[in-house]
Coordinates of all heavy atoms in Angstrom, one line a residue:
M1 N -26.4 2.4 14.6 CA -25.1 1.9 15.1 C -24.5 1.2 13.9 O -25.1 0.4 13.2 CB -25.3 1.0 16.3 CG -24.1 0.4 16.8 SD -24.5 -0.5 18.3 CE -22.9 -1.0 18.8
D2 N -23.2 1.4 13.7 CA -22.4 0.8 12.7 C -22.2 -0.7 13.0 O -21.9 -1.0 14.2 CB -21.1 1.4 12.4 CG -21.2 2.8 11.9 OD1 -22.2 3.1 11.2 OD2 -20.3 3.7 12.1
E3 N -22.3 -1.6 12.0 CA -22.0 -3.0 12.2 C -20.5 -3.2 12.0 O -19.9 -2.6 11.2 CB -22.8 -3.8 11.3 CG -24.3 -3.9 11.5 CD -25.0 -4.8 10.6 OE1 -24.4 -5.9 10.3 OE2 -26.1 -4.5 10.2
L4 N -20.0 -4.1 12.8 CA -18.6 -4.5 12.6 C -18.6 -5.5 11.5 O -19.3 -6.6 11.5 CB -18.1 -5.2 13.9 CG -16.6 -5.7 13.8 CD1 -15.6 -4.6 13.6 CD2 -16.3 -6.4 15.1
V5 N -17.8 -5.3 10.5 CA -17.6 -6.2 9.4 C -16.3 -6.8 9.4 O -15.2 -6.1 9.4 CB -17.8 -5.4 8.0 CG1 -17.6 -6.4 6.8 CG2 -19.2 -4.8 8.0
E6 N -16.2 -8.1 9.5 CA -15.0 -8.8 9.5 C -14.6 -9.2 8.1 O -15.4 -9.8 7.4 CB -15.0 -10.0 10.4 CG -15.1 -9.7 11.9 CD -14.9 -10.9 12.8 OE1 -14.1 -11.8 12.4 OE2 -15.7 -11.0 13.8
T7 N -13.4 -8.9 7.7 CA -12.9 -9.3 6.4 C -11.7 -10.2 6.6 O -10.7 -9.8 7.3 CB -12.5 -8.1 5.6 OG1 -13.7 -7.3 5.5 CG2 -12.1 -8.5 4.2
H8 N -11.7 -11.4 6.1 CA -10.6 -12.3 6.1 C -10.1 -12.6 4.7 O -10.9 -12.6 3.8 CB -11.0 -13.6 6.8 CG -11.5 -13.5 8.2 ND1 -10.7 -13.5 9.3 CD2 -12.8 -13.3 8.7 CE1 -11.4 -13.3 10.4 NE2 -12.7 -13.2 10.0
F9 N -8.8 -12.7 4.6 CA -8.3 -13.0 3.3 C -7.0 -13.9 3.5 O -6.4 -13.8 4.5 CB -8.0 -11.8 2.5 CG -7.0 -10.8 3.2 CD1 -5.7 -10.9 3.0 CD2 -7.5 -9.8 4.0 CE1 -4.8 -10.1 3.6 CE2 -6.6 -9.0 4.7 CZ -5.2 -9.1 4.4
D10 N -6.7 -14.7 2.5 CA -5.5 -15.5 2.5 C -4.4 -14.6 1.9 O -4.6 -13.8 1.0 CB -5.7 -16.7 1.6 CG -6.7 -17.7 2.2 OD1 -6.7 -17.8 3.5 OD2 -7.5 -18.3 1.4
L11 N -3.2 -14.8 2.5 CA -2.1 -14.1 2.0 C -0.9 -15.1 1.9 O -0.5 -15.7 2.8 CB -1.7 -13.0 3.0 CG -0.4 -12.2 2.7 CD1 -0.7 -11.3 1.5 CD2 -0.1 -11.3 3.9
W12 N -0.4 -15.2 0.7 CA 0.7 -16.0 0.4 C 1.9 -15.5 1.2 O 2.2 -14.2 1.2 CB 1.1 -16.1 -1.0 CG 0.0 -16.9 -1.8 CD1 -1.0 -17.6 -1.3 CD2 -0.1 -17.0 -3.2 NE1 -1.8 -18.2 -2.4 CE2 -1.2 -17.8 -3.6 CE3 0.7 -16.4 -4.3 CZ2 -1.5 -18.0 -4.9 CZ3 0.3 -16.7 -5.6 CH2 -0.8 -17.5 -5.9
E13 N 2.7 -16.3 1.8 CA 3.9 -15.9 2.6 C 4.8 -15.0 1.8 O 5.4 -14.0 2.3 CB 4.6 -17.1 3.1 CG 5.7 -16.8 4.1 CD 6.4 -18.0 4.6 OE1 5.7 -19.1 4.7 OE2 7.5 -17.9 5.1
M14 N 5.0 -15.3 0.5 CA 5.9 -14.5 -0.4 C 5.4 -13.0 -0.5 O 6.2 -12.1 -0.8 CB 6.0 -15.1 -1.7 CG 4.7 -15.2 -2.5 SD 4.9 -16.0 -4.1 CE 5.1 -14.7 -5.2
N15 N 4.1 -12.8 -0.3 CA 3.6 -11.4 -0.4 C 3.5 -10.7 0.9 O 3.2 -9.5 1.0 CB 2.1 -11.5 -1.0 CG 2.1 -11.9 -2.4 OD1 3.1 -11.7 -3.1 ND2 1.1 -12.7 -2.8
Y16 N 3.9 -11.3 2.0 CA 3.9 -10.7 3.3 C 4.8 -9.4 3.4 O 4.3 -8.4 3.9 CB 4.2 -11.7 4.4 CG 4.0 -11.1 5.8 CD1 2.7 -10.7 6.3 CD2 5.0 -10.9 6.7 CE1 2.5 -10.2 7.5 CE2 4.9 -10.4 7.9 CZ 3.6 -10.0 8.3 OH 3.4 -9.5 9.6
P17 N 6.0 -9.5 2.9 CA 6.9 -8.3 3.0 C 6.3 -7.1 2.2 O 6.4 -6.0 2.7 CB 8.2 -8.7 2.3 CG 8.2 -10.2 2.5 CD 6.8 -10.6 2.4
V18 N 5.6 -7.3 1.1 CA 5.0 -6.2 0.4 C 3.9 -5.6 1.2 O 3.7 -4.4 1.2 CB 4.5 -6.8 -1.0 CG1 3.8 -5.6 -1.8 CG2 5.6 -7.3 -1.8
L19 N 3.1 -6.5 1.8 CA 2.0 -6.0 2.6 C 2.5 -5.2 3.8 O 1.9 -4.1 4.1 CB 1.1 -7.1 3.1 CG -0.1 -6.7 4.0 CD1 -1.1 -5.8 3.2 CD2 -0.8 -7.9 4.5
Q20 N 3.6 -5.6 4.4 CA 4.2 -4.9 5.5 C 4.6 -3.5 5.1 O 4.3 -2.5 5.8 CB 5.4 -5.6 6.1 CG 5.0 -6.8 6.9 CD 6.3 -7.5 7.4 OE1 7.2 -7.9 6.7 NE2 6.4 -7.6 8.8
V21 N 5.3 -3.4 3.9 CA 5.7 -2.1 3.4 C 4.5 -1.2 3.1 O 4.5 0.0 3.4 CB 6.7 -2.2 2.2 CG1 7.0 -0.9 1.6 CG2 8.0 -2.9 2.7
F22 N 3.5 -1.8 2.4 CA 2.3 -1.0 2.0 C 1.6 -0.5 3.2 O 1.3 0.7 3.3 CB 1.4 -1.9 1.2 CG 0.2 -1.2 0.7 CD1 0.3 -0.5 -0.5 CD2 -1.0 -1.4 1.3 CE1 -0.8 0.2 -1.0 CE2 -2.2 -0.7 0.8 CZ -2.0 0.0 -0.4
C23 N 1.5 -1.3 4.3 CA 0.8 -0.8 5.5 C 1.6 0.2 6.2 O 1.1 1.2 6.8 CB 0.5 -2.0 6.4 SG -0.8 -3.1 5.8
A24 N 3.0 0.1 6.2 CA 3.8 1.1 6.8 C 3.7 2.5 6.1 O 4.0 3.5 6.7 CB 5.3 0.6 6.8
C25 N 3.2 2.5 4.9 CA 3.1 3.7 4.1 C 1.6 4.2 4.1 O 1.2 5.1 3.3 CB 3.5 3.6 2.7 SG 5.3 3.3 2.5
S26 N 0.8 3.7 5.0 CA -0.6 3.9 5.0 C -1.0 5.4 5.2 O -2.1 5.8 4.8 CB -1.4 3.1 6.0 OG -1.0 3.4 7.3
D27 N -0.1 6.2 5.8 CA -0.4 7.6 6.0 C 0.4 8.5 5.1 O 0.6 9.7 5.4 CB -0.3 8.0 7.5 CG 1.1 7.7 8.0 OD1 2.0 7.1 7.3 OD2 1.4 8.2 9.1
D28 N 1.0 7.9 4.1 CA 1.9 8.7 3.2 C 1.3 8.8 1.8 O 2.0 8.9 0.8 CB 3.2 8.0 3.1 CG 4.0 8.0 4.4 OD1 4.0 9.0 5.0 OD2 4.5 6.9 4.8
W29 N -0.1 8.9 1.7 CA -0.7 9.1 0.4 C -0.7 10.6 0.0 O -0.8 11.5 0.8 CB -2.2 8.7 0.5 CG -2.4 7.2 0.5 CD1 -2.4 6.4 1.6 CD2 -2.5 6.4 -0.6 NE1 -2.6 5.1 1.3 CE2 -2.7 5.1 -0.1 CE3 -2.6 6.6 -2.0 CZ2 -2.9 4.0 -1.0 CZ3 -2.8 5.5 -2.8 CH2 -2.9 4.2 -2.3
K30 N -0.4 10.8 -1.3 CA -0.6 12.2 -1.9 C -2.1 12.3 -2.2 O -2.7 11.4 -2.7 CB 0.3 12.3 -3.1 CG 1.8 12.4 -2.8 CD 2.6 12.7 -4.0 CE 4.0 12.8 -3.7 NZ 4.8 13.1 -4.9
I31 N -2.6 13.5 -2.0 CA -4.0 13.8 -2.2 C -4.1 15.0 -3.2 O -3.4 16.0 -3.0 CB -4.7 14.1 -0.9 CG1 -4.4 13.1 0.2 CG2 -6.2 14.4 -1.1 CD1 -5.5 12.2 0.6
T32 N -5.0 14.9 -4.1 CA -5.2 16.0 -5.1 C -5.9 17.2 -4.4 O -6.5 17.0 -3.3 CB -6.0 15.6 -6.3 OG1 -7.3 15.3 -5.9 CG2 -5.4 14.4 -7.0
Q33 N -6.0 18.3 -5.1 CA -6.7 19.5 -4.5 C -8.2 19.2 -4.4 O -8.9 19.8 -3.6 CB -6.5 20.7 -5.4 CG -5.1 21.3 -5.4 CD -4.9 22.5 -6.3 OE1 -5.8 22.8 -7.1 NE2 -3.8 23.1 -6.1
Q34 N -8.7 18.2 -5.2 CA -10.1 17.9 -5.1 C -10.4 16.8 -4.0 O -11.5 16.4 -3.9 CB -10.6 17.3 -6.5 CG -10.5 18.3 -7.6 CD -9.1 18.5 -8.2 OE1 -8.2 17.7 -8.0 NE2 -8.9 19.6 -8.8
G35 N -9.3 16.5 -3.3 CA -9.5 15.5 -2.2 C -9.5 14.1 -2.6 O -9.9 13.2 -1.8
K36 N -9.0 13.8 -3.8 CA -8.9 12.4 -4.2 C -7.5 11.9 -3.9 O -6.5 12.6 -4.0 CB -9.1 12.3 -5.7 CG -10.5 12.7 -6.2 CD -11.5 11.6 -6.0 CE -12.8 11.9 -6.7 NZ -13.7 10.8 -6.7
Y37 N -7.4 10.6 -3.6 CA -6.1 10.0 -3.4 C -5.4 9.9 -4.8 O -6.0 9.5 -5.8 CB -6.2 8.6 -2.8 CG -6.7 8.6 -1.4 CD1 -8.0 8.7 -1.0 CD2 -5.7 8.6 -0.4 CE1 -8.4 8.7 0.3 CE2 -6.1 8.7 1.0 CZ -7.5 8.7 1.3 OH -7.9 8.8 2.6
R38 N -4.1 10.2 -4.8 CA -3.3 10.1 -6.1 C -2.3 9.0 -6.1 O -2.2 8.3 -7.1 CB -2.7 11.5 -6.4 CG -2.1 11.6 -7.8 CD -1.5 12.9 -8.0 NE -0.2 12.9 -7.3 CZ 0.6 14.0 -7.2 NH1 0.2 15.1 -7.6 NH2 1.7 13.9 -6.6
S39 N -1.5 8.9 -5.1 CA -0.4 7.9 -5.1 C 0.2 7.9 -3.7 O 0.1 8.9 -2.9 CB 0.6 8.2 -6.1 OG 1.3 9.4 -5.8
I40 N 1.0 6.9 -3.4 CA 1.8 6.9 -2.2 C 3.0 7.7 -2.5 O 3.6 7.6 -3.6 CB 2.2 5.4 -1.9 CG1 1.0 4.6 -1.5 CG2 3.2 5.4 -0.8 CD1 1.2 3.2 -1.2
D41 N 3.4 8.5 -1.6 CA 4.6 9.3 -1.7 C 5.9 8.4 -1.9 O 6.2 7.6 -1.0 CB 4.8 10.2 -0.5 CG 5.9 11.2 -0.6 OD1 7.1 10.7 -0.6 OD2 5.7 12.4 -0.7
K42 N 6.5 8.6 -3.0 CA 7.7 7.7 -3.3 C 8.9 7.9 -2.4 O 9.6 7.0 -2.2 CB 8.1 7.8 -4.8 CG 7.0 7.4 -5.8 CD 6.3 6.1 -5.5 CE 5.3 5.7 -6.6 NZ 4.0 6.3 -6.4
L43 N 9.0 9.2 -1.9 CA 10.1 9.4 -1.0 C 9.9 8.7 0.3 O 10.8 8.1 0.9 CB 10.3 10.9 -0.8 CG 10.8 11.7 -2.0 CD1 10.8 13.2 -1.6 CD2 12.2 11.3 -2.3
A44 N 8.7 8.7 0.8 CA 8.3 8.0 2.0 C 8.5 6.5 1.8 O 9.0 5.8 2.7 CB 6.9 8.4 2.4
L45 N 8.0 6.0 0.6 CA 8.1 4.6 0.3 C 9.6 4.2 0.3 O 10.0 3.1 0.9 CB 7.5 4.3 -1.0 CG 7.6 2.9 -1.6 CD1 6.9 1.9 -0.6 CD2 6.9 2.8 -2.9
G46 N 10.5 5.0 -0.3 CA 11.9 4.7 -0.3 C 12.5 4.6 1.1 O 13.3 3.7 1.4
A47 N 12.1 5.5 1.9 CA 12.6 5.6 3.3 C 12.1 4.3 4.1 O 12.9 3.7 4.8 CB 12.1 6.8 4.0
V48 N 10.8 3.9 3.9 CA 10.3 2.8 4.5 C 11.1 1.5 4.1 O 11.4 0.7 4.9 CB 8.8 2.6 4.3 CG1 8.3 1.2 4.7 CG2 8.0 3.7 5.0
M49 N 11.3 1.4 2.8 CA 12.0 0.2 2.2 C 13.4 0.2 2.8 O 13.9 -0.9 3.1 CB 12.0 0.2 0.7 CG 10.7 -0.1 0.1 SD 10.7 -0.6 -1.6 CE 10.9 1.0 -2.4
E50 N 14.1 1.3 3.0 CA 15.4 1.4 3.5 C 15.4 0.9 5.0 O 16.2 0.1 5.4 CB 16.0 2.8 3.4 CG 17.4 2.9 3.9 CD 18.0 4.2 3.7 OE1 17.6 4.9 2.8 OE2 18.9 4.6 4.6
M51 N 14.4 1.5 5.8 CA 14.3 1.1 7.2 C 14.0 -0.4 7.4 O 14.4 -1.0 8.3 CB 13.3 1.9 7.9 CG 13.7 3.4 8.1 SD 12.5 4.3 9.1 CE 11.3 4.7 7.8
M52 N 13.2 -0.9 6.4 CA 12.8 -2.3 6.5 C 13.8 -3.3 5.8 O 13.6 -4.5 5.7 CB 11.4 -2.5 6.0 CG 10.4 -1.8 6.8 SD 8.7 -2.0 6.2 CE 8.2 -3.4 7.3
E53 N 14.9 -2.7 5.4 CA 16.0 -3.4 4.7 C 15.6 -4.3 3.6 O 15.9 -5.4 3.4 CB 16.8 -4.2 5.8 CG 17.4 -3.4 6.9 CD 18.1 -4.1 7.9 OE1 17.9 -5.4 8.0 OE2 18.8 -3.5 8.7
V54 N 14.7 -3.7 2.7 CA 14.3 -4.4 1.5 C 15.4 -4.5 0.5 O 16.1 -3.5 0.2 CB 13.1 -3.6 0.8 CG1 12.7 -4.2 -0.5 CG2 11.9 -3.6 1.8
T55 N 15.7 -5.7 0.1 CA 16.9 -6.0 -0.8 C 16.6 -5.7 -2.3 O 17.4 -5.2 -3.0 CB 17.4 -7.4 -0.6 OG1 16.4 -8.3 -0.8 CG2 18.0 -7.5 0.8
N56 N 15.4 -6.1 -2.7 CA 15.0 -6.0 -4.1 C 14.0 -4.9 -4.3 O 12.8 -5.1 -4.4 CB 14.5 -7.3 -4.7 CG 14.4 -7.2 -6.2 OD1 14.4 -6.2 -6.8 ND2 14.3 -8.4 -6.8
R57 N 14.4 -3.6 -4.2 CA 13.5 -2.5 -4.2 C 12.7 -2.3 -5.5 O 11.6 -1.9 -5.5 CB 14.3 -1.2 -3.9 CG 14.8 -1.2 -2.5 CD 15.5 0.1 -2.2 NE 16.1 0.1 -0.9 CZ 16.6 1.1 -0.3 NH1 16.6 2.3 -0.9 NH2 17.2 1.0 0.9
K58 N 13.4 -2.7 -6.6 CA 12.7 -2.5 -7.9 C 11.5 -3.5 -8.0 O 10.4 -3.1 -8.3 CB 13.6 -2.9 -9.1 CG 13.0 -2.6 -10.4 CD 14.0 -3.0 -11.5 CE 14.9 -1.8 -11.8 NZ 15.7 -2.0 -13.0
E59 N 11.6 -4.7 -7.5 CA 10.5 -5.7 -7.5 C 9.4 -5.2 -6.5 O 8.2 -5.3 -6.8 CB 11.0 -7.1 -7.2 CG 9.9 -8.1 -7.2 CD 10.5 -9.5 -6.8 OE1 11.7 -9.8 -7.1 OE2 9.7 -10.3 -6.3
M60 N 9.9 -4.7 -5.3 CA 9.0 -4.3 -4.3 C 8.2 -3.1 -4.8 O 7.0 -3.0 -4.6 CB 9.8 -3.9 -3.0 CG 8.9 -3.3 -1.9 SD 7.8 -4.5 -1.1 CE 9.0 -5.5 -0.2
L61 N 8.8 -2.1 -5.5 CA 8.1 -1.0 -6.1 C 7.0 -1.4 -7.0 O 5.9 -0.9 -7.0 CB 9.1 0.0 -6.8 CG 8.5 1.2 -7.4 CD1 7.8 2.1 -6.4 CD2 9.6 2.0 -8.2
T62 N 7.3 -2.4 -7.9 CA 6.4 -2.9 -8.8 C 5.2 -3.4 -8.1 O 4.0 -3.2 -8.5 CB 7.0 -4.0 -9.7 OG1 8.1 -3.4 -10.4 CG2 6.0 -4.5 -10.7
D63 N 5.4 -4.2 -7.1 CA 4.3 -4.8 -6.3 C 3.5 -3.7 -5.5 O 2.3 -3.8 -5.5 CB 4.9 -5.8 -5.3 CG 5.4 -7.1 -6.0 OD1 5.1 -7.3 -7.2 OD2 6.2 -7.8 -5.3
I64 N 4.2 -2.8 -5.0 CA 3.5 -1.7 -4.2 C 2.6 -0.9 -5.2 O 1.5 -0.5 -4.8 CB 4.5 -0.8 -3.5 CG1 5.2 -1.5 -2.4 CG2 3.8 0.5 -3.0 CD1 4.4 -1.9 -1.2
I65 N 3.1 -0.6 -6.4 CA 2.3 0.2 -7.3 C 1.1 -0.6 -7.7 O 0.0 0.0 -7.9 CB 3.2 0.5 -8.6 CG1 4.2 1.6 -8.2 CG2 2.3 1.0 -9.7 CD1 5.2 2.0 -9.3
A66 N 1.2 -1.9 -7.9 CA 0.0 -2.7 -8.2 C -1.0 -2.6 -7.0 O -2.2 -2.5 -7.3 CB 0.4 -4.2 -8.4
M67 N -0.5 -2.7 -5.8 CA -1.4 -2.6 -4.6 C -2.0 -1.2 -4.6 O -3.2 -1.0 -4.3 CB -0.7 -2.9 -3.3 CG -0.3 -4.4 -3.2 SD 0.5 -4.7 -1.7 CE -0.8 -4.6 -0.5
Q68 N -1.2 -0.2 -4.8 CA -1.7 1.2 -4.8 C -2.8 1.4 -5.8 O -3.8 2.0 -5.5 CB -0.5 2.1 -5.1 CG -0.9 3.5 -5.5 CD 0.3 4.3 -6.1 OE1 1.1 4.8 -5.4 NE2 0.3 4.3 -7.4
N69 N -2.6 0.9 -7.0 CA -3.6 1.1 -8.1 C -4.9 0.4 -7.7 O -6.0 0.9 -8.0 CB -3.1 0.6 -9.4 CG -2.0 1.5 -9.9 OD1 -1.9 2.6 -9.5 ND2 -1.2 1.0 -10.8
A70 N -4.9 -0.8 -7.1 CA -6.1 -1.5 -6.6 C -6.7 -0.7 -5.5 O -8.0 -0.5 -5.5 CB -5.7 -2.9 -6.2
A71 N -5.9 -0.1 -4.6 CA -6.5 0.7 -3.5 C -7.1 2.0 -4.0 O -8.1 2.4 -3.5 CB -5.4 1.0 -2.5
L72 N -6.5 2.6 -5.0 CA -7.0 3.9 -5.5 C -8.5 3.7 -6.0 O -9.3 4.6 -5.8 CB -6.1 4.4 -6.7 CG -4.8 5.1 -6.2 CD1 -3.9 5.3 -7.4 CD2 -5.1 6.3 -5.5
E73 N -8.8 2.6 -6.7 CA -10.1 2.4 -7.1 C -11.1 2.4 -6.0 O -12.2 2.9 -6.1 CB -10.2 1.1 -7.9 CG -9.5 1.1 -9.3 CD -9.7 -0.1 -10.0 OE1 -10.8 -0.8 -9.9 OE2 -8.8 -0.5 -10.8
I74 N -10.7 1.8 -4.9 CA -11.6 1.7 -3.7 C -11.6 3.0 -3.0 O -12.7 3.5 -2.6 CB -11.1 0.5 -2.8 CG1 -11.2 -0.8 -3.5 CG2 -11.9 0.6 -1.5 CD1 -10.5 -1.9 -2.8
L75 N -10.5 3.6 -2.8 CA -10.4 4.9 -2.0 C -11.2 6.0 -2.7 O -11.8 6.8 -2.0 CB -9.0 5.3 -1.8 CG -8.2 4.4 -0.8 CD1 -6.7 4.7 -0.9 CD2 -8.7 4.5 0.6
N76 N -11.1 6.1 -4.0 CA -11.7 7.2 -4.7 C -13.1 6.9 -5.2 O -13.8 7.9 -5.6 CB -10.8 7.6 -5.9 CG -9.5 8.3 -5.4 OD1 -9.5 9.0 -4.4 ND2 -8.4 8.1 -6.2
N77 N -13.5 5.7 -5.3 CA -14.8 5.4 -5.8 C -15.7 4.8 -4.7 O -16.9 4.5 -5.0 CB -14.7 4.5 -7.0 CG -14.0 5.1 -8.2 OD1 -14.2 6.3 -8.4 ND2 -13.2 4.4 -8.9
G78 N -15.1 4.5 -3.6 CA -15.9 3.7 -2.6 C -16.6 4.6 -1.6 O -17.3 5.4 -1.5

């Protein structure tokens, strides 16, 4: 039987909007032919940012890419 693992982390309030957008794109990953995660689909990301009325998209994109790159290491090597 699998054990339930609880993970808690602190999140600065200023990073909450980035996490919301990142989570909203959780099913919009591009996958390589080898089955590895490559990146979040930027068209989907743009649509999510528009729907969530993100005002500074350039800054948000930079933050999302940082989160994406950290997630890629876990998704593809974990």
Side-chain angles (χ1 to χ4, degrees):
M1 181 174 181
D2 293 332
E3 289 185 38
L4 177 63
V5 177
E6 288 190 40
T7 304
H8 299 275
F9 58 91
D10 293 323
L11 179 66
W12 291 350
E13 188 175 336
M14 63 186 262
N15 293 325
Y16 187 64
V18 178
L19 180 61
Q20 286 181 302
V21 171
F22 186 79
C23 289
C25 294
S26 65
D27 60 349
D28 295 315
W29 285 89
K30 290 185 178 183
I31 311 248
T32 68
Q33 290 180 349
Q34 295 78 23
K36 298 275 189 175
Y37 289 87
R38 189 179 76 191
S39 67
I40 294 174
D41 185 290
K42 300 307 184 280
L43 291 174
L45 177 58
V48 167
M49 286 196 284
E50 183 176 331
M51 286 185 282
M52 295 181 97
E53 299 177 347
V54 173
T55 55
N56 191 341
R57 292 183 187 191
K58 187 182 271 188
E59 183 179 330
M60 177 72 70
L61 177 61
T62 300
D63 293 342
I64 293 291
I65 289 173
M67 290 181 72
Q68 167 193 275
N69 291 339
L72 283 170
E73 290 184 32
I74 295 165
L75 292 169
N76 289 328
N77 297 323

